[in-house]
Amino acid sequence: AQSVTQLGSHVSVSEGALVLLRCNYSSSVPPYLFWYVQYPNQGLQLLLKYTSAATLVKGINGFEAEFKKSETSFHLTKPSAHMSDAAEYFCAVFGNQFYFGTGTSLTVIP
Amino acid sequence: GAVVSQHPSRVICKSGTSVKIECRSLDFQATTMFWYRQFPKQSLMLMATSNEGSKATYEQGVEKDKFLINHASLTLSTLTVTSAHPEDSSFYICSANPGTESSYEQYFGPGTRLTVT
């Protein structure tokens, strides 16, 4: 069975500060892992994905995530937050279907 | 890139009526489409998987007679919420998978906000 846990339903950072959104996964098979972003009343936009290639994955808008098997983690980071990064972020694992985390709401303080 | 549209983006209907939501893949053929439901401030939950020309596969706990799914063509899937009630109010999101790519390659639509009064 697959699942993901996102620690922290709300994260606030100052503009220009480091963004760190945490995701831990549980999977009985080598996982495919994803981060999606959702703006209000919109669908999901793929930020990045890990599909068993390089463990450090670079995505759009300056985001990246590192797959750490020993920690069963796939945390999302961005060196410098921008106001436009304020949104809901979902971590997901794919087995025979997507299993999404409960989401982390990112607030960027000017 | 692959684009998926949904129509309508927002709909308000009266309790007891039915409402149809369309999901279209605009620039690719989608052999498989997925329907998700998202409650406020919560995650997405897969409701059903639809394959073109065959019956949809519903997840446990999803009433197939209430949420009718039709995937009549390779670019269109519809979700009909029958006899809607206020508890059906939610954000419904579809995704589509081009059959030529891995099954995790899903392109998500912008969602439909359903409000049942």
Side-chain angles (χ1 to χ4, degrees):
Chain A
Q2 288 86 23
S3 67
V4 292
T5 301
Q6 290 184 242
L7 298 177
S9 59
H10 293 87
V11 170
S12 292
V13 299
S14 297
E15 189 175 17
L18 171 71
V19 176
L20 170 61
L21 305 183
R22 301 177 185 275
C23 174
N24 287 88
Y25 70 90
S26 173
S27 178
S28 55
V29 297
Y32 293 158
L33 296 162
F34 302 77
W35 274 100
Y36 286 90
V37 61
Q38 184 181 36
Y39 296 98
N41 293 310
Q42 295 187 30
L44 301 182
Q45 181 181 6
L46 179 66
L47 279 177
L48 49 81
K49 62 187 176 189
Y50 168 76
T51 56
S52 69
T55 56
L56 181 61
V57 181
K58 294 186 183 299
I60 62 171
N61 301 339
F63 285 94
E64 62 182 37
E66 185 172 8
F67 172 69
K68 292 187 176 180
K69 184 177 180 180
S70 61
E71 299 178 7
T72 61
S73 69
F74 191 57
H75 302 330
L76 181 71
T77 61
K78 181 174 180 178
S80 177
H82 192 272
M83 295 299 293
S84 61
D85 294 327
E88 190 82 16
Y89 291 80
F90 291 96
C91 180
V93 62
F94 187 87
N96 59 342
Q97 63 166 280
F98 273 110
Y99 296 91
F100 290 90
T102 51
T104 297
S105 177
L106 176 65
T107 299
V108 181
I109 303 167
Chain B
V3 179
V4 174
S5 70
Q6 283 185 240
H7 177 79
S9 57
R10 293 175 179 267
V11 58
I12 301 173
C13 69
K14 293 184 182 297
S15 185
T17 63
S18 296
V19 61
K20 179 184 288 187
I21 302 170
E22 294 185 346
C23 176
R24 291 182 185 273
S25 56
L26 299 185
D27 50 3
F28 66 98
Q29 293 186 327
T31 54
T32 307
M33 288 184 169
F34 306 83
W35 287 95
Y36 296 84
R37 182 173 181 176
Q38 184 180 27
F39 291 100
K41 303 297 184 184
Q42 294 188 33
S43 188
L44 283 77
M45 298 296 293
L46 180 66
M47 298 174 66
T49 302
S50 75
N51 292 291
E52 186 268 338
S54 64
K55 291 185 177 180
T57 302
Y58 290 80
E59 296 300 305
Q60 190 173 6
V62 178
E63 298 177 60
K64 58 183 66 177
D65 294 331
K66 181 167 187 60
F67 298 99
L68 301 179
I69 292 172
N70 183 280
H71 193 161
S73 78
L74 285 172
T75 60
L76 173 65
S77 176
T78 60
L79 167 68
T80 301
V81 183
T82 63
S83 186
H85 288 94
E87 57 265 30
D88 299 324
S89 298
S90 193
F91 195 53
Y92 294 88
I93 300 175
C94 73
S95 70
N97 170 258
T100 54
E101 299 184 26
S102 301
S103 53
Y104 55 76
E105 295 291 352
Q106 294 184 24
Y107 302 97
F108 287 83
T112 296
R113 173 75 61 192
L114 170 63
T115 303
V116 185
T117 61

